[in-house]
Amino acid sequence: MADFKEILQPLSADITHRVGMTAASSSSSKKVVKSFISAHVSDEKRRDPEFDEQLNARVLVLEKTRTGCKPWKRVSVKKRCSLTSRQKRRLGIGHFPKSEQRYDLFVPLHKLWCQYMQDVMQISPNSKPATLEPKVLKADYHGCIMTVARSKCPSYVGMTGIVVQETQATFKLVTQRDCVKVVPKAGSIFSFEVKGFQFNLYGSQLCCRASERSAKKFKTKPTVDL
């Protein structure tokens, strides 16, 4: 019980001086509260004639103190940096040494591609070309034996090889003469065969990366005959 009385002892002179109250006002709780509120209310509020009535009625709304708000800053999201063309050339990405430019090295890749196309297209004797064409447009052509059927450049016509790399604007083919040929997509028509079905690709409408083509929605566009 003695400990409880010590807690309820009046405030010391040092505390009342720092808070802004007199020692005599600490004896009365009402006077303490009134003096404390009067010391922390703005002068404009204290001059209000209704201030004393609100203080006695114990219905007093203190003014909100606005804290310094920090200005809103847009958080910049760092984009995933990809390799530039110069960095790819330095690292040798997409470069095939002459010792690896052999047609027989990529024949197993073509066999894997044939199995891949069978799983993707689900070709059967009753399959219709109209149902297979959308799947062909979004398929991967690495390993496909592709032939240049038509081209604005006559030297490309009739060229056949296995696709070893596809870029945004070209196809790289390894021919049976063990050399890599770069054929531009624009202005060329490519053909290949899958399980007895022959497909023609208009390169001018495929000028995009392989990763982008898989998610792209193709629209019917008129094509000028070469």
Side-chain angles (χ1 to χ4, degrees):
M1 194 67 181
D3 297 336
F4 182 72
K5 289 182 178 181
E6 291 179 0
I7 295 175
L8 299 180
Q9 286 182 357
L11 298 175
S12 62
D14 184 22
I15 296 176
T16 55
H17 178 70
R18 283 186 295 174
V19 175
M21 299 181 297
T22 60
S25 63
S26 62
S27 59
S28 175
S29 60
K30 292 183 179 181
K31 292 181 180 180
V32 170
V33 174
K34 288 182 180 181
S35 60
F36 178 79
I37 294 176
S38 299
H40 291 79
V41 172
S42 61
D43 297 337
E44 184 180 357
K45 187 73 174 178
R46 199 181 298 110
R47 296 193 196 98
D48 191 358
E50 297 181 357
F51 175 71
D52 293 334
E53 296 180 3
Q54 294 176 356
L55 188 60
N56 295 328
R58 298 182 183 179
V59 182
L60 181 65
V61 180
L62 299 177
E63 296 179 354
K64 294 182 179 179
T65 57
R66 297 186 63 182
T67 57
C69 299
K70 295 182 180 179
W72 180 79
K73 294 183 179 180
R74 185 174 183 178
V75 180
S76 60
V77 181
K78 293 184 179 179
K79 295 183 179 180
R80 185 177 180 182
C81 298
S82 57
L83 295 176
T84 61
S85 300
R86 182 177 298 178
Q87 291 173 343
K88 290 180 180 179
R89 287 194 296 268
R90 289 177 180 176
L91 295 174
I93 298 176
H95 175 69
F96 294 92
K98 290 186 178 181
S99 60
E100 297 179 1
Q101 296 179 8
R102 292 167 48 191
Y103 185 84
D104 57 345
L105 291 178
F106 295 95
V107 172
L109 177 63
H110 172 66
K111 294 180 180 179
L112 291 175
W113 180 82
C114 292
Q115 297 177 3
Y116 157 75
M117 292 297 289
Q118 178 63 29
D119 296 338
V120 170
M121 302 177 66
Q122 297 293 328
I123 299 176
S124 64
N126 299 327
S127 299
K128 297 181 180 180
T131 59
L132 300 177
E133 289 173 357
K135 298 179 181 179
V136 170
L137 291 174
K138 296 185 178 183
D140 189 358
Y141 301 135
H142 293 86
C144 170
I145 296 180
M146 192 173 289
T147 302
V148 182
R150 296 181 183 180
S151 178
K152 289 184 177 180
C153 183
S155 61
Y156 290 133
V157 178
M159 188 178 298
T160 304
I162 299 176
V163 179
V164 294
Q165 187 178 8
E166 179 186 359
T167 63
Q168 185 174 357
T170 61
F171 281 115
K172 287 187 179 180
L173 308 177
V174 174
T175 63
Q176 293 183 352
R177 295 182 179 179
D178 296 337
C179 59
V180 177
K181 297 293 184 179
V182 181
V183 183
K185 293 181 180 179
S188 301
I189 298 177
F190 305 90
S191 64
F192 61 91
E193 184 179 349
V194 180
K195 295 291 183 179
F197 290 89
Q198 187 172 358
F199 301 95
N200 294 328
L201 297 177
Y202 290 84
S204 300
Q205 298 185 3
L206 295 177
C207 291
C208 58
R209 297 182 179 88
S211 58
E212 297 174 355
R213 188 182 71 248
S214 60
K216 184 179 179 181
K217 293 183 179 179
F218 290 90
K219 298 180 180 179
T220 56
K221 298 180 181 179
T223 304
V224 179
D225 192 4
L226 298 175

